[in-house]
Amino acid sequence: MTPFLAMLKVNFQSLLLTTMQLGGNKRKGRAATGVAAFLLISAVMLMLSISYSLSMGFVFSMLGAMDLLLMIMIIMAVGFPFIFIVFASQSLVFSTKDIDQVLSWPVSAFSVMLARVLALYLEALLLCELLLVPSAVVYAAFGGAGGYLVVFLAIVLGLFIALVPTTLALVVGAVVSLVVSRLGRLKTLLNIIFSMLLVVGILVLSFSFSFSMTAAEEMTLDVTGIRGALLGWLPPLGWAVQGMQGNLLWLLATVAVCVVPFLAVTWLFSRFYKGILTRLSSHRIKSDYKLRGVSASGSLAALLGKEAGRFFGTPAYLLNAGIGYVMAILAAVVAVFQRSAVQNIVVAMSTDLGVPASLVDAYLPPLLLALIAFLCGLSTVSASSISLEGKTLWILKEAPLPLGKIFAAKTGFGFLLGAVTMVICTVLLGIAFALQPLEMVGIGLVSLGFTLLSSMVGLMINLFLPRMDAENDTIIVKQSSAVLITMLVNVLLMVALVLLFLLLNRLGAGFILYCAAATSALALLCGVLALMLNTTGRKLFAAL
């Protein structure tokens, strides 16, 4: 294997590698697998592509606008890979880790850069094809122009469309890396803001798309206006669709639009790659230090501040452990500002299912409660809190602090985040769906109990399954067993709450009585978890 291919293989595996520790700190317990990551990403993209394509294909076939299906899926085939690899471009292509060693290899800097860029391209290609090919199959199955030839041409065109998100990721990654490298202490904040804007943008587009599809199902969608807007802003979309339908000239034009910018950006970076890495690895020295007073606080407040600093100061931790809170609040905000659209969706779904309006009103509060619990259950702040201590855990263990306060801070911070989110969501959803005050209070109490129990469960599981030797924080917050098991437990808790409601409803109990029973049950479980943390948890922490 040539040095270039070896570098390409290593870089690509580093993008797809999923490391999950099944127990303890023994390396034999790890399931290291790029194949697992490949299968996981493939399954998610296939599910996304198939579900979106079928829903759009059904609607657009009735409207005689199947070309819109291909246009929208091409946009997704560019947008989703870009989101996945834009952060990887910072950590891979523009990484300054071991820069001296890497640039001293017996290969040119251009080869190093090209191997990293092509690794990004391969990941983008994987995602792009998984989004394009199922949509092309659905397009042909619903009678789109060009028949099943579109499927073959979609595969071919995907090889070049994947160059677009790769090019965009290179440019954005370079700009962001250069900017944050000059900001010193503010670079983490900028990374977080940039990441949050991307996440919120994706969620907003997803909600907007869902509302648009609802309008389409009601045959009120302005197909001509959408097609004109898409082609007006992105003319190559029309070229790509015509190319997929068998027009060779437009196919070549689309290929040129994808290839030329990629070659130009790659050539430009190859000229200055060493200089970029050198600039990124340099540091500024601050000389205007000033003496000032230092505020004092209690030990518990200091521990909570430490947890908050770690959470808000680590982009991977914030984005992965807090994404459920962001989704919940955004959904509640959309429900308020798109109140009529949301209510129309609820009415349409109840009509399609043949459910009476009175029954919808009766089941709406528990459904909203289940939605809030599910979204907030995706956030697993406490499930990573022990593992993130890593090699500095000894500082916490040697500190003259009661272990109870340490546990209280780690569960308390996660509870505070969840509690704030739950209260905001309960109020906004109560306004959006005109809930009764008692119903809002009931939802609030149950959701607070769920949040506290979830936070305590996460800490307990992390004590059982710590990951103290991870290569970086991202592995802990995304791929550790403690996080995955905590998410599963949260889902099971949410299912248990739903089953309890169905049982009590069958016995004739109302929603308020259910909230009282659920809150009591959650409080009892919190007491059991507190006892476990005070006994088994202490032993596990001492053994770390």
Side-chain angles (χ1 to χ4, degrees), residues 336-407:
V336 171
F337 288 97
Q338 298 285 341
R339 187 184 313 179
S340 59
V342 173
Q343 290 176 348
N344 289 338
I345 292 175
V346 173
V347 171
M349 291 177 62
S350 63
T351 302
D352 293 340
L353 296 175
V355 179
S358 59
L359 194 59
V360 173
D361 293 337
Y363 278 86
L364 187 59
L367 285 175
L368 294 176
L369 174 59
L371 174 64
I372 296 175
F374 174 75
L375 291 177
C376 291
L378 298 177
S379 295
T380 54
V381 177
S382 61
S384 305
S385 59
I386 295 293
S387 298
L388 286 172
E389 297 292 341
K391 297 178 181 179
T392 64
L393 179 66
W394 67 272
I395 300 176
L396 199 59
K397 296 182 71 173
E398 295 298 324
L401 295 168
L403 185 56
K405 280 194 175 182
I406 295 175
F407 284 174

Side-chain angles (χ1 to χ4, degrees), residues 141-187:
F142 278 93
Y148 283 95
L149 176 64
V150 174
V151 179
F152 171 74
L153 293 177
I155 296 174
V156 174
L157 201 56
L159 296 171
F160 302 98
I161 290 178
L163 294 173
V164 177
T166 306
T167 305
L168 294 174
L170 279 176
V171 174
V172 174
V175 172
V176 173
S177 297
L178 287 171
V179 171
V180 299
S181 67
R182 302 292 96 188
L183 293 179
R185 295 173 61 184
L186 294 176
K187 65 181 181 181

